[in-house]
PDB file of all heavy atoms in Angstrom:
ATOM      1  N   ALA K  30       3.245 -15.683 -10.293  1.00  0.00           N
ATOM      2  CA  ALA K  30       2.355 -16.847 -10.298  1.00  0.00           C
ATOM      3  C   ALA K  30       0.883 -16.430 -10.228  1.00  0.00           C
ATOM      4  O   ALA K  30       0.000 -17.269 -10.191  1.00  0.00           O
ATOM      5  CB  ALA K  30       2.696 -17.755  -9.123  1.00  0.00           C
ATOM      6  N   GLY K  31       0.628 -15.124 -10.178  1.00  0.00           N
ATOM      7  CA  GLY K  31      -0.736 -14.626 -10.195  1.00  0.00           C
ATOM      8  C   GLY K  31      -1.393 -14.459  -8.840  1.00  0.00           C
ATOM      9  O   GLY K  31      -2.606 -14.320  -8.747  1.00  0.00           O
ATOM     10  N   PHE K  32      -0.604 -14.478  -7.766  1.00  0.00           N
ATOM     11  CA  PHE K  32      -1.149 -14.327  -6.425  1.00  0.00           C
ATOM     12  C   PHE K  32      -1.013 -12.887  -5.939  1.00  0.00           C
ATOM     13  O   PHE K  32       0.018 -12.256  -6.143  1.00  0.00           O
ATOM     14  CB  PHE K  32      -0.423 -15.235  -5.429  1.00  0.00           C
ATOM     15  CG  PHE K  32      -0.692 -16.692  -5.664  1.00  0.00           C
ATOM     16  CD1 PHE K  32       0.204 -17.463  -6.380  1.00  0.00           C
ATOM     17  CD2 PHE K  32      -1.846 -17.273  -5.173  1.00  0.00           C
ATOM     18  CE1 PHE K  32      -0.043 -18.803  -6.607  1.00  0.00           C
ATOM     19  CE2 PHE K  32      -2.096 -18.612  -5.383  1.00  0.00           C
ATOM     20  CZ  PHE K  32      -1.194 -19.382  -6.109  1.00  0.00           C
ATOM     21  N   PRO K  33      -2.029 -12.378  -5.263  1.00  0.00           N
ATOM     22  CA  PRO K  33      -1.911 -11.050  -4.656  1.00  0.00           C
ATOM     23  C   PRO K  33      -0.952 -11.120  -3.471  1.00  0.00           C
ATOM     24  O   PRO K  33      -0.775 -12.178  -2.873  1.00  0.00           O
ATOM     25  CB  PRO K  33      -3.327 -10.722  -4.200  1.00  0.00           C
ATOM     26  CG  PRO K  33      -3.989 -12.047  -4.028  1.00  0.00           C
ATOM     27  CD  PRO K  33      -3.339 -12.976  -5.015  1.00  0.00           C
ATOM     28  N   VAL K  34      -0.343 -10.003  -3.134  1.00  0.00           N
ATOM     29  CA  VAL K  34       0.643  -9.980  -2.058  1.00  0.00           C
ATOM     30  C   VAL K  34       0.277  -8.892  -1.044  1.00  0.00           C
ATOM     31  O   VAL K  34      -0.040  -7.767  -1.417  1.00  0.00           O
ATOM     32  CB  VAL K  34       2.060  -9.711  -2.619  1.00  0.00           C
ATOM     33  CG1 VAL K  34       3.075  -9.604  -1.502  1.00  0.00           C
ATOM     34  CG2 VAL K  34       2.456 -10.795  -3.608  1.00  0.00           C
ATOM     35  N   LEU K  35       0.358  -9.266   0.222  1.00  0.00           N
ATOM     36  CA  LEU K  35       0.169  -8.334   1.320  1.00  0.00           C
ATOM     37  C   LEU K  35       1.467  -8.305   2.112  1.00  0.00           C
ATOM     38  O   LEU K  35       1.910  -9.332   2.615  1.00  0.00           O
ATOM     39  CB  LEU K  35      -0.985  -8.770   2.224  1.00  0.00           C
ATOM     40  CG  LEU K  35      -1.186  -7.981   3.519  1.00  0.00           C
ATOM     41  CD1 LEU K  35      -1.477  -6.516   3.218  1.00  0.00           C
ATOM     42  CD2 LEU K  35      -2.305  -8.596   4.334  1.00  0.00           C
ATOM     43  N   ALA K  36       2.105  -7.150   2.166  1.00  0.00           N
ATOM     44  CA  ALA K  36       3.335  -6.962   2.932  1.00  0.00           C
ATOM     45  C   ALA K  36       2.994  -6.120   4.149  1.00  0.00           C
ATOM     46  O   ALA K  36       2.034  -5.356   4.127  1.00  0.00           O
ATOM     47  CB  ALA K  36       4.386  -6.266   2.075  1.00  0.00           C
ATOM     48  N   GLY K  37       3.768  -6.257   5.209  1.00  0.00           N
ATOM     49  CA  GLY K  37       3.424  -5.486   6.383  1.00  0.00           C
ATOM     50  C   GLY K  37       4.602  -5.069   7.232  1.00  0.00           C
ATOM     51  O   GLY K  37       5.665  -5.666   7.186  1.00  0.00           O
ATOM     52  N   GLY K  38       4.376  -3.998   7.962  1.00  0.00           N
ATOM     53  CA  GLY K  38       5.333  -3.545   8.936  1.00  0.00           C
ATOM     54  C   GLY K  38       6.194  -2.391   8.486  1.00  0.00           C
ATOM     55  O   GLY K  38       6.178  -1.960   7.336  1.00  0.00           O
ATOM     56  N   ALA K  39       6.957  -1.903   9.450  1.00  0.00           N
ATOM     57  CA  ALA K  39       7.792  -0.728   9.242  1.00  0.00           C
ATOM     58  C   ALA K  39       8.964  -0.967   8.287  1.00  0.00           C
ATOM     59  O   ALA K  39       9.479  -0.027   7.698  1.00  0.00           O
ATOM     60  CB  ALA K  39       8.328  -0.242  10.585  1.00  0.00           C
ATOM     61  N   ALA K  40       9.363  -2.208   8.110  1.00  0.00           N
ATOM     62  CA  ALA K  40      10.499  -2.495   7.224  1.00  0.00           C
ATOM     63  C   ALA K  40      10.231  -2.060   5.786  1.00  0.00           C
ATOM     64  O   ALA K  40      11.171  -1.844   5.024  1.00  0.00           O
ATOM     65  CB  ALA K  40      10.823  -3.981   7.251  1.00  0.00           C
ATOM     66  N   PHE K  41       8.966  -1.905   5.430  1.00  0.00           N
ATOM     67  CA  PHE K  41       8.630  -1.515   4.064  1.00  0.00           C
ATOM     68  C   PHE K  41       8.557  -0.001   3.896  1.00  0.00           C
ATOM     69  O   PHE K  41       8.044   0.497   2.894  1.00  0.00           O
ATOM     70  CB  PHE K  41       7.324  -2.181   3.624  1.00  0.00           C
ATOM     71  CG  PHE K  41       7.518  -3.636   3.328  1.00  0.00           C
ATOM     72  CD1 PHE K  41       7.289  -4.587   4.305  1.00  0.00           C
ATOM     73  CD2 PHE K  41       7.979  -4.056   2.097  1.00  0.00           C
ATOM     74  CE1 PHE K  41       7.487  -5.927   4.059  1.00  0.00           C
ATOM     75  CE2 PHE K  41       8.186  -5.397   1.831  1.00  0.00           C
ATOM     76  CZ  PHE K  41       7.946  -6.343   2.809  1.00  0.00           C
ATOM     77  N   GLY K  42       9.122   0.740   4.841  1.00  0.00           N
ATOM     78  CA  GLY K  42       9.255   2.184   4.723  1.00  0.00           C
ATOM     79  C   GLY K  42       8.042   2.947   5.197  1.00  0.00           C
ATOM     80  O   GLY K  42       7.005   2.365   5.521  1.00  0.00           O
ATOM     81  N   PRO K  43       8.190   4.272   5.231  1.00  0.00           N
ATOM     82  CA  PRO K  43       7.085   5.126   5.660  1.00  0.00           C
ATOM     83  C   PRO K  43       5.858   4.920   4.771  1.00  0.00           C
ATOM     84  O   PRO K  43       5.962   4.977   3.542  1.00  0.00           O
ATOM     85  CB  PRO K  43       7.624   6.548   5.509  1.00  0.00           C
ATOM     86  CG  PRO K  43       9.094   6.415   5.334  1.00  0.00           C
ATOM     87  CD  PRO K  43       9.355   5.029   4.829  1.00  0.00           C
ATOM     88  N   GLN K  44       4.718   4.644   5.397  1.00  0.00           N
ATOM     89  CA  GLN K  44       3.466   4.425   4.672  1.00  0.00           C
ATOM     90  C   GLN K  44       3.563   3.316   3.618  1.00  0.00           C
ATOM     91  O   GLN K  44       2.861   3.351   2.611  1.00  0.00           O
ATOM     92  CB  GLN K  44       2.989   5.725   4.024  1.00  0.00           C
ATOM     93  CG  GLN K  44       2.757   6.848   5.003  1.00  0.00           C
ATOM     94  CD  GLN K  44       1.703   6.476   6.045  1.00  0.00           C
ATOM     95  OE1 GLN K  44       0.646   5.985   5.703  1.00  0.00           O
ATOM     96  NE2 GLN K  44       2.016   6.692   7.314  1.00  0.00           N
ATOM     97  N   GLY K  45       4.463   2.351   3.820  1.00  0.00           N
ATOM     98  CA  GLY K  45       4.574   1.215   2.907  1.00  0.00           C
ATOM     99  C   GLY K  45       5.190   1.549   1.565  1.00  0.00           C
ATOM    100  O   GLY K  45       4.937   0.892   0.562  1.00  0.00           O
ATOM    101  N   ARG K  46       6.043   2.554   1.545  1.00  0.00           N
ATOM    102  CA  ARG K  46       6.653   3.024   0.285  1.00  0.00           C
ATOM    103  C   ARG K  46       7.246   1.899  -0.544  1.00  0.00           C
ATOM    104  O   ARG K  46       7.001   1.792  -1.742  1.00  0.00           O
ATOM    105  CB  ARG K  46       7.727   4.052   0.617  1.00  0.00           C
ATOM    106  CG  ARG K  46       8.464   4.611  -0.573  1.00  0.00           C
ATOM    107  CD  ARG K  46       9.562   5.564  -0.084  1.00  0.00           C
ATOM    108  NE  ARG K  46      10.178   6.419  -1.025  1.00  0.00           N
ATOM    109  CZ  ARG K  46      10.957   6.072  -2.044  1.00  0.00           C
ATOM    110  NH1 ARG K  46      11.174   4.875  -2.277  1.00  0.00           N
ATOM    111  NH2 ARG K  46      11.509   6.945  -2.838  1.00  0.00           N
ATOM    112  N   TYR K  47       8.040   1.026   0.069  1.00  0.00           N
ATOM    113  CA  TYR K  47       8.711  -0.024  -0.690  1.00  0.00           C
ATOM    114  C   TYR K  47       7.737  -1.121  -1.109  1.00  0.00           C
ATOM    115  O   TYR K  47       7.867  -1.681  -2.200  1.00  0.00           O
ATOM    116  CB  TYR K  47       9.890  -0.590   0.096  1.00  0.00           C
ATOM    117  CG  TYR K  47      10.908   0.478   0.421  1.00  0.00           C
ATOM    118  CD1 TYR K  47      11.187   0.820   1.730  1.00  0.00           C
ATOM    119  CD2 TYR K  47      11.546   1.176  -0.594  1.00  0.00           C
ATOM    120  CE1 TYR K  47      12.089   1.829   2.026  1.00  0.00           C
ATOM    121  CE2 TYR K  47      12.450   2.187  -0.309  1.00  0.00           C
ATOM    122  CZ  TYR K  47      12.718   2.509   1.005  1.00  0.00           C
ATOM    123  OH  TYR K  47      13.602   3.511   1.287  1.00  0.00           O
ATOM    124  N   ALA K  48       6.763  -1.408  -0.287  1.00  0.00           N
ATOM    125  CA  ALA K  48       5.741  -2.390  -0.675  1.00  0.00           C
ATOM    126  C   ALA K  48       4.997  -1.898  -1.909  1.00  0.00           C
ATOM    127  O   ALA K  48       4.773  -2.656  -2.853  1.00  0.00           O
ATOM    128  CB  ALA K  48       4.768  -2.627   0.471  1.00  0.00           C
ATOM    129  N   ARG K  49       4.656  -0.626  -1.914  1.00  0.00           N
ATOM    130  CA  ARG K  49       3.935  -0.072  -3.055  1.00  0.00           C
ATOM    131  C   ARG K  49       4.800  -0.042  -4.313  1.00  0.00           C
ATOM    132  O   ARG K  49       4.304  -0.260  -5.421  1.00  0.00           O
ATOM    133  CB  ARG K  49       3.401   1.312  -2.716  1.00  0.00           C
ATOM    134  CG  ARG K  49       2.213   1.239  -1.771  1.00  0.00           C
ATOM    135  CD  ARG K  49       1.696   2.619  -1.395  1.00  0.00           C
ATOM    136  NE  ARG K  49       0.498   2.654  -0.606  1.00  0.00           N
ATOM    137  CZ  ARG K  49       0.300   2.104   0.586  1.00  0.00           C
ATOM    138  NH1 ARG K  49       1.231   1.372   1.129  1.00  0.00           N
ATOM    139  NH2 ARG K  49      -0.836   2.244   1.236  1.00  0.00           N
ATOM    140  N   LEU K  50       6.079   0.231  -4.165  1.00  0.00           N
ATOM    141  CA  LEU K  50       6.979   0.175  -5.322  1.00  0.00           C
ATOM    142  C   LEU K  50       7.022  -1.219  -5.919  1.00  0.00           C
ATOM    143  O   LEU K  50       7.206  -1.380  -7.122  1.00  0.00           O
ATOM    144  CB  LEU K  50       8.398   0.605  -4.926  1.00  0.00           C
ATOM    145  CG  LEU K  50       8.632   2.099  -4.761  1.00  0.00           C
ATOM    146  CD1 LEU K  50      10.020   2.352  -4.174  1.00  0.00           C
ATOM    147  CD2 LEU K  50       8.474   2.816  -6.093  1.00  0.00           C
ATOM    148  N   MET K  51       6.846  -2.215  -5.061  1.00  0.00           N
ATOM    149  CA  MET K  51       6.841  -3.606  -5.518  1.00  0.00           C
ATOM    150  C   MET K  51       5.436  -4.072  -5.889  1.00  0.00           C
ATOM    151  O   MET K  51       5.208  -5.240  -6.128  1.00  0.00           O
ATOM    152  CB  MET K  51       7.424  -4.504  -4.431  1.00  0.00           C
ATOM    153  CG  MET K  51       8.899  -4.264  -4.193  1.00  0.00           C
ATOM    154  SD  MET K  51       9.536  -5.404  -2.964  1.00  0.00           S
ATOM    155  CE  MET K  51      10.183  -4.258  -1.758  1.00  0.00           C
ATOM    156  N   ARG K  52       4.491  -3.150  -5.960  1.00  0.00           N
ATOM    157  CA  ARG K  52       3.105  -3.418  -6.333  1.00  0.00           C
ATOM    158  C   ARG K  52       2.414  -4.399  -5.392  1.00  0.00           C
ATOM    159  O   ARG K  52       1.595  -5.215  -5.805  1.00  0.00           O
ATOM    160  CB  ARG K  52       3.003  -3.947  -7.763  1.00  0.00           C
ATOM    161  CG  ARG K  52       3.697  -3.118  -8.800  1.00  0.00           C
ATOM    162  CD  ARG K  52       2.778  -2.026  -9.330  1.00  0.00           C
ATOM    163  NE  ARG K  52       3.322  -1.422 -10.528  1.00  0.00           N
ATOM    164  CZ  ARG K  52       4.036  -0.300 -10.521  1.00  0.00           C
ATOM    165  NH1 ARG K  52       4.302   0.294  -9.402  1.00  0.00           N
ATOM    166  NH2 ARG K  52       4.477   0.217 -11.640  1.00  0.00           N
ATOM    167  N   ALA K  53       2.740  -4.307  -4.104  1.00  0.00           N
ATOM    168  CA  ALA K  53       2.097  -5.127  -3.087  1.00  0.00           C
ATOM    169  C   ALA K  53       1.214  -4.243  -2.220  1.00  0.00           C
ATOM    170  O   ALA K  53       1.486  -3.060  -2.053  1.00  0.00           O
ATOM    171  CB  ALA K  53       3.155  -5.811  -2.215  1.00  0.00           C
ATOM    172  N   GLU K  54       0.161  -4.812  -1.676  1.00  0.00           N
ATOM    173  CA  GLU K  54      -0.634  -4.107  -0.678  1.00  0.00           C
ATOM    174  C   GLU K  54       0.215  -4.014   0.579  1.00  0.00           C
ATOM    175  O   GLU K  54       1.072  -4.866   0.826  1.00  0.00           O
ATOM    176  CB  GLU K  54      -1.919  -4.878  -0.369  1.00  0.00           C
ATOM    177  CG  GLU K  54      -2.916  -4.872  -1.491  1.00  0.00           C
ATOM    178  CD  GLU K  54      -3.598  -3.519  -1.665  1.00  0.00           C
ATOM    179  OE1 GLU K  54      -3.715  -2.758  -0.682  1.00  0.00           O
ATOM    180  OE2 GLU K  54      -4.011  -3.241  -2.796  1.00  0.00           O
ATOM    181  N   TRP K  55      -0.022  -3.017   1.400  1.00  0.00           N
ATOM    182  CA  TRP K  55       0.759  -2.838   2.622  1.00  0.00           C
ATOM    183  C   TRP K  55      -0.172  -2.627   3.800  1.00  0.00           C
ATOM    184  O   TRP K  55      -1.180  -1.931   3.695  1.00  0.00           O
ATOM    185  CB  TRP K  55       1.684  -1.638   2.490  1.00  0.00           C
ATOM    186  CG  TRP K  55       2.467  -1.353   3.719  1.00  0.00           C
ATOM    187  CD1 TRP K  55       3.559  -2.039   4.172  1.00  0.00           C
ATOM    188  CD2 TRP K  55       2.242  -0.314   4.665  1.00  0.00           C
ATOM    189  NE1 TRP K  55       4.023  -1.482   5.342  1.00  0.00           N
ATOM    190  CE2 TRP K  55       3.226  -0.415   5.668  1.00  0.00           C
ATOM    191  CE3 TRP K  55       1.313   0.695   4.774  1.00  0.00           C
ATOM    192  CZ2 TRP K  55       3.285   0.450   6.746  1.00  0.00           C
ATOM    193  CZ3 TRP K  55       1.368   1.556   5.850  1.00  0.00           C
ATOM    194  CH2 TRP K  55       2.361   1.430   6.816  1.00  0.00           C
ATOM    195  N   ALA K  56       0.181  -3.261   4.912  1.00  0.00           N
ATOM    196  CA  ALA K  56      -0.554  -3.078   6.166  1.00  0.00           C
ATOM    197  C   ALA K  56       0.423  -2.612   7.227  1.00  0.00           C
ATOM    198  O   ALA K  56       1.516  -3.165   7.351  1.00  0.00           O
ATOM    199  CB  ALA K  56      -1.201  -4.387   6.591  1.00  0.00           C
ATOM    200  N   LYS K  57       0.035  -1.604   7.989  1.00  0.00           N
ATOM    201  CA  LYS K  57       0.939  -1.078   9.005  1.00  0.00           C
ATOM    202  C   LYS K  57       1.020  -1.985  10.223  1.00  0.00           C
ATOM    203  O   LYS K  57       2.014  -1.985  10.931  1.00  0.00           O
ATOM    204  CB  LYS K  57       0.539   0.333   9.421  1.00  0.00           C
ATOM    205  CG  LYS K  57      -0.807   0.410  10.084  1.00  0.00           C
ATOM    206  CD  LYS K  57      -1.188   1.836  10.412  1.00  0.00           C
ATOM    207  CE  LYS K  57      -2.603   1.831  10.948  1.00  0.00           C
ATOM    208  NZ  LYS K  57      -3.191   3.118  10.996  1.00  0.00           N
ATOM    209  N   ASP K  58      -0.059  -2.759  10.478  1.00  0.00           N
ATOM    210  CA  ASP K  58      -0.091  -3.628  11.649  1.00  0.00           C
ATOM    211  C   ASP K  58      -1.115  -4.748  11.423  1.00  0.00           C
ATOM    212  O   ASP K  58      -1.767  -4.808  10.377  1.00  0.00           O
ATOM    213  CB  ASP K  58      -0.410  -2.826  12.910  1.00  0.00           C
ATOM    214  CG  ASP K  58      -1.681  -1.997  12.807  1.00  0.00           C
ATOM    215  OD1 ASP K  58      -2.573  -2.333  11.992  1.00  0.00           O
ATOM    216  OD2 ASP K  58      -1.805  -1.006  13.542  1.00  0.00           O
ATOM    217  N   ALA K  59      -1.271  -5.615  12.425  1.00  0.00           N
ATOM    218  CA  ALA K  59      -2.169  -6.761  12.283  1.00  0.00           C
ATOM    219  C   ALA K  59      -3.632  -6.365  12.049  1.00  0.00           C
ATOM    220  O   ALA K  59      -4.285  -6.941  11.163  1.00  0.00           O
ATOM    221  CB  ALA K  59      -2.036  -7.674  13.495  1.00  0.00           C
ATOM    222  N   PRO K  60      -4.182  -5.390  12.790  1.00  0.00           N
ATOM    223  CA  PRO K  60      -5.572  -5.009  12.509  1.00  0.00           C
ATOM    224  C   PRO K  60      -5.763  -4.470  11.087  1.00  0.00           C
ATOM    225  O   PRO K  60      -6.771  -4.748  10.435  1.00  0.00           O
ATOM    226  CB  PRO K  60      -5.876  -3.932  13.553  1.00  0.00           C
ATOM    227  CG  PRO K  60      -4.941  -4.229  14.684  1.00  0.00           C
ATOM    228  CD  PRO K  60      -3.692  -4.733  14.018  1.00  0.00           C
ATOM    229  N   ASP K  61      -4.787  -3.723  10.608  1.00  0.00           N
ATOM    230  CA  ASP K  61      -4.842  -3.205   9.246  1.00  0.00           C
ATOM    231  C   ASP K  61      -4.788  -4.353   8.237  1.00  0.00           C
ATOM    232  O   ASP K  61      -5.514  -4.363   7.247  1.00  0.00           O
ATOM    233  CB  ASP K  61      -3.680  -2.223   9.031  1.00  0.00           C
ATOM    234  CG  ASP K  61      -3.834  -1.378   7.783  1.00  0.00           C
ATOM    235  OD1 ASP K  61      -4.975  -1.071   7.394  1.00  0.00           O
ATOM    236  OD2 ASP K  61      -2.788  -1.015   7.207  1.00  0.00           O
ATOM    237  N   ALA K  62      -3.941  -5.344   8.497  1.00  0.00           N
ATOM    238  CA  ALA K  62      -3.843  -6.520   7.615  1.00  0.00           C
ATOM    239  C   ALA K  62      -5.167  -7.276   7.595  1.00  0.00           C
ATOM    240  O   ALA K  62      -5.634  -7.692   6.529  1.00  0.00           O
ATOM    241  CB  ALA K  62      -2.710  -7.435   8.069  1.00  0.00           C
ATOM    242  N   ALA K  63      -5.791  -7.442   8.758  1.00  0.00           N
ATOM    243  CA  ALA K  63      -7.073  -8.144   8.822  1.00  0.00           C
ATOM    244  C   ALA K  63      -8.137  -7.407   8.004  1.00  0.00           C
ATOM    245  O   ALA K  63      -8.931  -8.038   7.299  1.00  0.00           O
ATOM    246  CB  ALA K  63      -7.522  -8.280  10.274  1.00  0.00           C
ATOM    247  N   ALA K  64      -8.137  -6.094   8.076  1.00  0.00           N
ATOM    248  CA  ALA K  64      -9.101  -5.306   7.298  1.00  0.00           C
ATOM    249  C   ALA K  64      -8.866  -5.488   5.802  1.00  0.00           C
ATOM    250  O   ALA K  64      -9.814  -5.656   5.033  1.00  0.00           O
ATOM    251  CB  ALA K  64      -9.011  -3.831   7.673  1.00  0.00           C
TER     252      ALA K  64
END
């Protein structure tokens, strides 16, 4: 639908591996997400 995606947390693998495979931004925690 054209929206950017921010995924977060350990469920997305080490250093956000799975989030990146899905072409989503990844944040390790809330402060990182806010940044």
